[in-house]
Amino acid sequence: MKKHIRKIAVLLFTLALLAPLFSNPAEAATGYQGYAIYRDGVFYGYDWHAGMMDDPYRTTTSLPVLHAPGSGSVVSWDSWSNFMKGNNFKGVYRPNRTPTSSERDLFVSMGRNLRTENITYNVAYQVYYDTGSSGTWVDPSEVSSMRCDGVVEYIHEWYSFRIYGSDTYWDVTRNSFWGRDHHSGTAITPKKQVGYMTLVKSTAP
């Protein structure tokens, strides 16, 4: 009996050693995936427009960008030309705390999750939700509308990469009436948002 148990133990130990050889490696972002991108040309040139790279480069696919295009639209994938609309590219940015490639892959996954929720555009709030019905953390399904810089803020701050805000209200994914208000109006805009981030590349990715 003891010999039988020992054989089983040896077999289980061997399988444990071999398991990593047969498991799928975790996905990791490449190129500029998961980084925020900006261009000018909003409100008669006063402000900028924000998005996120869903693909490594602007030429990787026909729809490399995830963003909230504007009034009457929802968070969606889009072409590089529709993102730019003939304006000037202003840079690729990341949170000040450097994300790993695997963490950037999480950003991409969250962006794709937002895309499936039919989230409409909101010019007043970065992220709008019902404070009475949302949980402690505002899930994508609880977001009713977003602004373009809110897409960037939500994706990064969901994974605790702080962008804009006070020590109390910086996390736009945490349910709070005052926190929601803190991320509204002109207190934060796409052009101001980059001041809380780190430039990765000044030319188009």
Side-chain angles (χ1 to χ4, degrees):
M1 182 68 176
K2 287 183 180 178
K3 187 175 182 181
H4 182 65
I5 293 174
R6 184 179 178 186
K7 282 184 177 180
I8 293 174
V10 171
L11 177 61
L12 291 174
F13 180 72
T14 303
L15 289 173
L17 290 176
L18 292 175
L21 299 177
F22 299 100
S23 61
N24 292 326
E27 289 187 25
T30 59
Y32 296 93
Q33 283 180 303
Y35 286 141
I37 51 174
Y38 298 83
R39 55 93 167 157
D40 65 11
V42 176
F43 293 129
Y44 305 100
Y46 176 76
D47 216 320
W48 295 357
H49 178 58
M52 188 193 75
M53 289 299 293
D54 182 83
D55 280 292
Y57 305 96
R58 70 183 188 276
T59 56
T60 303
T61 66
S62 59
L63 302 173
V65 177
L66 179 99
H67 67 151
S71 180
S73 64
V74 296
V75 175
S76 58
W77 283 328
D78 213 340
S79 66
W80 186 257
S81 61
N82 281 345
F83 172 75
M84 290 298 298
K85 289 192 177 298
N87 293 289
N88 301 302
F89 187 71
K90 303 304 290 186
V92 179
Y93 286 80
R94 63 163 173 80
N96 288 332
R97 179 165 67 88
T98 308
T100 64
S101 181
S102 294
E103 286 170 326
R104 289 195 289 122
D105 188 63
L106 293 176
F107 300 162
V108 172
S109 294
M110 176 54 77
R112 294 176 181 181
N113 194 358
L114 293 176
R115 174 184 166 270
T116 66
E117 295 296 340
N118 199 38
I119 298 170
T120 58
Y121 184 78
N122 188 329
V123 70
Y125 291 84
Q126 274 196 327
V127 179
Y128 193 84
Y129 52 90
D130 184 342
T131 58
S133 62
S134 297
T136 301
W137 303 101
V138 183
D139 294 330
S141 61
E142 295 172 322
V143 177
S144 58
S145 56
M146 274 182 163
R147 211 165 60 191
C148 65
D149 54 338
V151 173
V152 171
E153 197 104 0
Y154 183 96
I155 289 170
H156 291 96
E157 292 184 348
W158 180 267
Y159 296 103
S160 300
F161 282 83
R162 180 174 177 172
I163 305 296
Y164 160 78
S166 68
D167 288 346
T168 303
Y169 297 121
W170 67 266
D171 192 345
V172 77
T173 72
R174 188 179 182 89
N175 185 353
S176 164
F177 176 85
W178 295 112
R180 189 183 67 181
D181 187 67
H182 188 65
H183 292 259
S184 67
T186 58
I188 181 67
T189 68
K191 191 174 182 179
K192 290 179 180 179
Q193 189 177 54
V194 300
Y196 301 93
M197 304 179 77
T198 297
L199 179 67
V200 174
K201 180 180 173 66
S202 58
T203 55

